[in-house]
Amino acid sequence: MTDYFQGNFPLQSVPLTKSVAKSHAHTEEESGKLAATIAEAASDRKAGEIILLKVAEVSYLADYFVMMTGYSKVQVRAIAQAIEGKVEAELQRRPIRTEGKVEGSWVLQDYGDVIVHIMMPKEREFYNLEAFWIHAERISLPESDEGEGKPT
């Protein structure tokens, strides 16, 4: 299997600096660090109900899914921006693709080995991705501020 699919788009997220010596293949440890960094950035922006799922054993799509709730379209976009900024600053990675920022009700960020879902409460409840990926291992997050962004 090659590192490219039709259209010559890389399967892994795009590094900020090109290096011939560095492979695009990421280890499970690197994927875990990326997922934890994403969860931390989301928590900093008061995302609610942050869930980290290790899907590598049940799916070929990614190693991890990170799901969270934003309670307004503005917050959903702010969470997405915070994630991109923190991952770029700390890990020098950008998402391959980002979808849904304009609408702001469900933003998907694809880092190749980690896929991020930032959803409004109605979308999260309707699509119920946690139930779909019930066989994936759930990773506990240290110092999780679940629900702190929820309006009272």
Side-chain angles (χ1 to χ4, degrees), residues 37-58:
T37 301
I38 288 167
E40 185 180 315
S43 181
D44 291 347
R45 284 285 183 237
K46 306 297 184 200
E49 305 171 54
I50 301 169
I51 294 177
L52 180 59
L53 298 176
K54 184 176 179 183
V55 295
E57 300 296 319
V58 296

Side-chain angles (χ1 to χ4, degrees), residues 41-77:
S43 181
D44 291 347
R45 284 285 183 237
K46 306 297 184 200
E49 305 171 54
I50 301 169
I51 294 177
L52 180 59
L53 298 176
K54 184 176 179 183
V55 295
E57 300 296 319
V58 296
S59 174
Y60 64 89
L61 295 174
D63 293 337
Y64 293 90
F65 281 177
V66 185
M67 295 177 234
M68 65 208 67
T69 302
Y71 297 98
S72 71
K73 290 182 179 189
V74 172
Q75 185 187 21
V76 168
R77 289 184 199 108

Side-chain angles (χ1 to χ4, degrees), residues 9-137:
F9 295 108
L11 288 176
Q12 300 298 328
S13 61
V14 181
L16 295 179
T17 57
K18 292 184 179 179
S19 172
V20 176
K22 187 172 180 178
S23 169
H24 283 289
H26 295 281
T27 66
E28 190 172 320
E29 183 179 315
E30 289 172 331
S31 297
K33 184 176 181 181
L34 173 60
T37 301
I38 288 167
E40 185 180 315
S43 181
D44 291 347
R45 284 285 183 237
K46 306 297 184 200
E49 305 171 54
I50 301 169
I51 294 177
L52 180 59
L53 298 176
K54 184 176 179 183
V55 295
E57 300 296 319
V58 296
S59 174
Y60 64 89
L61 295 174
D63 293 337
Y64 293 90
F65 281 177
V66 185
M67 295 177 234
M68 65 208 67
T69 302
Y71 297 98
S72 71
K73 290 182 179 189
V74 172
Q75 185 187 21
V76 168
R77 289 184 199 108
I79 293 167
Q81 193 65 37
I83 290 169
E84 286 179 22
K86 187 171 185 80
V87 170
E88 189 172 328
E90 293 184 11
L91 304 175
Q92 293 74 48
R93 290 184 63 181
R94 294 181 183 151
I96 298 168
R97 179 179 299 264
T98 300
E99 296 291 336
K101 262 191 181 176
V102 173
E103 296 84 7
S105 59
W106 181 352
V107 174
L108 182 136
Q109 296 172 314
D110 183 355
Y111 282 91
D113 47 345
V114 178
I115 297 175
V116 183
H117 298 275
I118 311 162
M119 297 174 267
M120 295 277 289
K122 285 184 180 180
E123 283 74 12
R124 187 151 184 191
E125 182 180 347
F126 181 80
Y127 290 102
N128 198 10
L129 295 179
E130 297 93 314
F132 186 78
W133 295 104
I134 193 74
H135 299 299
E137 179 184 347

